[in-house]
């Protein structure tokens, strides 16, 4: 990928030396080290570190990151955060498999949502199995409702007890009753 140019040196002696031809510059994926086409290299170039990545490596990197619960996605080399448009572009490099791309984007959004709930001290996940809802913490009552409409007990994390008495509370009452009896105390 270089051209040969002749340069005259002393008394008509010609010496041939290679000079890089920038129009045929080689691009290498920083992950797999394979040569990649210029348009792919420039499309997947990180604007911060200026490293290039092939479609397959970058796609696999993001796919595995998302499947492992990541919600902040970065350049594999310099850790510059990718925005949603860049993530969408990279996930589009999967040989036209729109279904897989959409699944990964949905999982990515779910990972981001989970992070928001985990980092907000006023919100909790709904404890009902298979519910992806959340609720505001409410310490003033034993009853709560998530944004998906599930009613649950704050004390034990189970569905709301119709009678209004939590089995965990009943266990505590039994323990305290035995304690009172042992000390010959009366409950107020």
């Amino acid at each position: 990928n270089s051209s040969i140019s002749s340069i005259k040196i002393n008394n008509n002696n010609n010496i041939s030396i290679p000079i890089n031809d920038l129009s045929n510059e080689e691009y290498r994926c920083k992950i797999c080290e394979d040569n990649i086409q210029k348009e792919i290299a420039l499309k997947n170039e990180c604007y911060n570190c200026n490293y290039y990545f092939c479609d397959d490596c970058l796609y696999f990197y993001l796919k595995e990151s998302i499947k492992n619960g990541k919600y902040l996605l970065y350049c594999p080399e310099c850790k510059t955060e990718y925005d949603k448009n860049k993530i969408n572009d990279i996930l589009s490099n999967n040989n036209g498999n729109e279904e897989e791309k959409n699944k990964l984007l949905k999982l990515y959004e779910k990972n981001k949502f989970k992070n928001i709930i985990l980092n907000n001290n006023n919100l909790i996940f709904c404890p009902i199995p298979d519910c992806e809802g959340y609720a505001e913490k409410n310490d003033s009552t034993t009853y709560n409702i998530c944004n998906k409409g599930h009613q649950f007990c704050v004390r034990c994390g189970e569905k709301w007890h119709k009678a209004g008495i939590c089995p965990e509370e009943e266990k505590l009452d039994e323990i305290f009753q035995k304690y009172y009896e042992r000390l010959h105390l009366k409950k107020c």
Side-chain angles (χ1 to χ4, degrees):
N1 286 340
S2 59
S3 62
I4 304 296
S5 177
S6 296
I7 298 178
K8 284 187 177 183
I9 299 180
N10 299 335
N11 301 332
N12 295 328
N13 292 329
N14 288 332
I15 299 176
S16 296
I17 61 171
I19 298 175
N20 284 338
D21 180 355
L22 295 178
S23 65
N24 290 326
E25 185 178 346
E26 287 188 7
Y27 296 90
R28 288 192 175 280
C29 174
K30 183 66 175 165
I31 297 172
C32 69
E33 302 275 324
D34 284 349
N35 288 335
I36 49 179
Q37 296 173 350
K38 180 179 180 178
E39 61 271 2
I40 291 172
L42 296 178
K43 175 182 70 170
N44 293 334
E45 178 182 18
C46 176
Y47 67 87
N48 190 49
C49 67
N50 293 50
Y51 282 117
Y52 309 110
F53 305 97
C54 68
D55 284 345
D56 289 342
C57 287
L58 206 49
Y59 176 80
F60 184 76
Y61 167 75
L62 281 192
K63 177 182 173 180
E64 291 306 307
S65 295
I66 292 169
K67 283 183 170 184
N68 287 317
K70 303 278 192 230
Y71 58 92
L72 295 175
L73 302 172
Y74 305 97
C75 165
E77 190 60 30
C78 71
K79 305 304 179 208
T80 298
E81 187 175 347
Y82 290 140
D83 65 17
K84 187 172 181 178
N85 290 331
K86 181 69 173 173
I87 292 165
N88 189 46
D89 289 345
I90 293 167
L91 293 178
S92 295
N93 297 333
N94 67 349
N95 298 321
N97 188 339
E98 282 293 311
E99 185 179 337
E100 183 176 46
K101 176 185 119 177
N102 291 335
K103 280 182 184 177
L104 288 169
L105 285 172
K106 186 175 180 180
L107 183 56
Y108 165 70
E109 290 297 330
K110 187 176 175 180
N111 294 345
K112 278 178 52 176
F113 173 74
K114 282 182 180 178
N115 178 61
I116 290 168
I117 302 300
L118 288 172
N119 288 312
N120 186 325
N121 293 332
N122 296 319
L123 298 175
I124 56 172
F125 286 107
C126 178
I128 305 302
D130 299 323
C131 179
E132 295 180 0
Y134 65 94
E136 288 187 41
K137 281 186 181 175
N138 186 351
D139 296 330
S140 63
T141 182
T142 60
Y143 164 84
N144 209 335
I145 302 175
C146 78
N147 66 320
K148 305 284 185 181
H150 295 116
Q151 301 172 354
F152 61 93
C153 176
V154 173
R155 289 200 173 104
C156 69
E158 298 293 326
K159 286 185 179 179
W160 180 243
H161 317 289
K162 299 280 187 223
I165 299 172
C166 174
E168 293 297 314
E169 203 172 280
E170 286 179 342
K171 288 179 192 174
L172 281 175
D173 283 348
E174 285 178 30
I175 291 170
F176 282 123
Q177 186 62 37
K178 289 178 184 177
Y179 177 74
Y180 293 143
E181 288 172 6
R182 194 175 83 220
L183 296 176
H184 302 290
L185 299 173
K186 291 187 179 180
K187 195 174 181 182
C188 300

